[in-house]
Structure formats: C-alpha cells, structure tokens
Amino acid sequence: MTLRTFVSALGVILALLLTAVAVPAAWVDQNIVKEEGFVRIAGGLGNDPDFQSRLAAAAVGTFESSVDLPGPIQSLAADALRNAATGMQSWSDYPAAWEETVRNSHRLNFGAAPQTEEAATTTALVLDIGPLVRLIRDHFAEATRIRLDVPAESLVSLGEPSHRQLVERVAAFAPLWWLAAAGALLASLRALAAARRRSLVLVFLGLGGLALAALWTAGSDLAGGIVGNLASANGVAELFKQEFLTTARTGFGQWTLIAAVVSGVVLVVGIIGSVVSGRQGSRSARS
C-alpha cells in the first residue's frame, strides 16, 4: 500500500466516523435543542385525543387546587370545569395556549428563560401547563363573571432527575455538530486529493453513507426503546414521552432517508467514474 492510498483510506474512514456523529447531533440540535424545532415536533402532540384528555384533566385539577371558590358558585363552577375537561381542545384559543405551553416548557428545560422559585426547586423535566390553566380561567370568567388569580406557572413533572441531566448534556454537546461536519468534509476532500483513483473514493464514501443510514435507523429504534422504557412521573408524562418519541423517530427517519439518497447518488457517480476511467485505461494500454 502506497502512502497516497493509506492517506486516502484514512480520510474516508475519518469522514465516515465524523459523519456518523455529525448527522444525529445536527438533528438533535435543530429539532430538540432549538426552540422552533422543538415546537414543530411537540406542537403536534396537542392534537392527540388521549393526550388532550389527560392534559385537560391535569389543567382542570391544577385550576381547582389553585383557587378558592365561594360556596354559592361551586355547582356552577363544577359544570364549567367539566366542560373544560371534555371540550377544551375544541376552543378556538386552545392551539395558541398549547404552543405557549410547549415554548415555556422548552425554555424551562433548556435553561433559555429565567426560572421562578417553583421551577428552580425541581430537578426533573417539566411541562408548564400554566397557559392552559389561564385559558380555563378565562373561559371560567366568561361563564361565571368571576375572574380568579392563578399561578404564573403550573409544572407537571415529566420524569426523573437523571433525565434532566441527560438533556443538559445533550444541550451542551449537540450544537457542536458543525465541528464534526466540517471535519468530515475536510477528511473527504483530503481523501479525494490523495487518491490515485478518485472514483473509488466516491464508491467507498457512498457505501459508507448507506451503511451509516442503516446504522442510524437501527440506532434510533434502539434509543427510542431505551427512552420509552424509562420511568414516567405520571400518565401525562407517559403519553407525552411516547407521542414525542414517535414524532421524533419519524422526523429523524426523513433525515436518514435523505442521507441514504445522497449516499446512493455518490455511489452511482463513483461507479460510473470507475467504469469510465477503466475504459480509458484500457484504450491507453492498447495504444
């Protein structure tokens, strides 16, 4: 093996290893660490009927426990709260309240917002259903003409302290994906520059990319299974976790598919280049 071949092979291996890290880290950064990506994924959970029902019950329970209703209106309040528990998701202002819930929760869990005393004392992941509690308060005020004060935040625990520690590590390292991506690009270019037959480098990069796509698919299924088996604090947390995992797998699967298609194109280009260069070499030998 010549030095050029060794350098080229080393570049291909390094490029694939760095790509194996860069793509999942980039997806996590764009879709979980960054607020807008998290809202895109978690926002759809508000349309799940089972999750809506559990969430509405939790919001109603929080509202009831945070206010002191006068005796004469308790029966009227009971009817209004039953309507909220069963029909809150049909209210026109529910989608905006749910989006605010998701945004507030992301900021609390990823440290993008100043924490209140209640949030600072918890060491677990939380879902802030305060916007939904305020939504119930507003509709309750419309029905009873009584406006009550409710807490600014109403936190529902989503897991154990170890889960929050994992999120903090992810939030620290995922944004560095571009370093791995830049390294993969430089390694690929170095492999191409050192190779005697650049088409073979493209073939190996394409094959490696297809292998990585399969590895990412298997890895996402494995990670989803591990996270899915983690203990949840309550029914709302369990539904949130399962639905979020399903949506996240689908989203990452789209990235994996794109990576597989790009790798396939690189492989085909490399094969075509190898065939063309082989024919040219044969003609040169004959002449």
Side-chain angles (χ1 to χ4, degrees), residues 23-60:
V23 171
W27 185 89
V28 169
D29 180 50
Q30 296 297 314
N31 294 280
I32 295 181
V33 176
K34 283 187 168 52
E35 182 178 315
E36 291 302 322
F38 184 83
V39 170
R40 281 195 304 271
I41 291 182
L45 302 183
N47 299 322
D48 180 81
D50 290 337
F51 183 72
Q52 285 177 347
S53 177
R54 296 283 187 94
L55 196 65
V60 169

Side-chain angles (χ1 to χ4, degrees), residues 150-265:
V150 295
E153 290 180 348
S154 299
L155 305 183
V156 175
S157 177
L158 292 180
E160 305 294 333
S162 59
H163 302 168
R164 189 182 188 95
Q165 294 169 4
L166 176 61
V167 166
E168 290 173 349
R169 294 191 190 101
V170 168
F173 290 105
L176 301 178
W177 63 268
W178 64 272
L179 292 175
L185 177 61
L186 291 176
S188 299
L189 294 176
R190 188 69 187 91
L192 287 169
R196 293 182 180 276
R197 297 181 61 184
R198 294 186 176 90
S199 57
L200 286 181
V201 173
L202 294 178
V203 169
F204 286 118
L205 286 174
L207 288 173
L210 291 174
L212 286 180
L215 181 64
W216 289 328
T217 300
S220 65
D221 291 340
L222 178 61
I226 293 174
V227 174
N229 290 328
L230 295 176
S232 299
N234 48 63
V236 174
E238 180 64 24
L239 278 174
F240 183 88
K241 179 182 68 177
Q242 295 299 335
E243 294 299 326
F244 188 88
L245 283 175
T246 299
T247 307
R249 282 182 186 175
T250 301
F252 184 64
Q254 294 173 351
W255 279 45
T256 302
L257 178 60
I258 293 173
V261 170
V262 172
S263 298
V265 170

Side-chain angles (χ1 to χ4, degrees), residues 267-279:
L267 175 61
V268 170
V269 170
I271 292 174
I272 293 174
S274 296
V275 172
V276 171
S277 62
R279 289 180 177 177

Side-chain angles (χ1 to χ4, degrees), residues 78-123:
D79 291 336
L81 294 178
R82 275 196 299 270
N83 291 335
T86 57
M88 183 171 66
Q89 60 270 20
S90 64
W91 296 346
S92 60
D93 40 3
Y94 170 78
W98 170 243
E99 180 176 333
E100 186 181 356
T101 293
V102 174
R103 290 187 182 278
N104 289 354
S105 302
H106 181 273
R107 291 166 186 168
L108 288 173
N109 290 315
F110 286 88
Q115 293 187 337
T116 62
E117 182 178 351
E118 181 184 4
T121 57
T122 182
T123 58

Side-chain angles (χ1 to χ4, degrees), residues 60-79:
V60 169
T62 300
F63 177 79
E64 288 181 305
S65 64
S66 62
V67 299
D68 185 16
L69 297 175
I73 67 166
Q74 286 186 357
S75 59
L76 178 62
D79 291 336

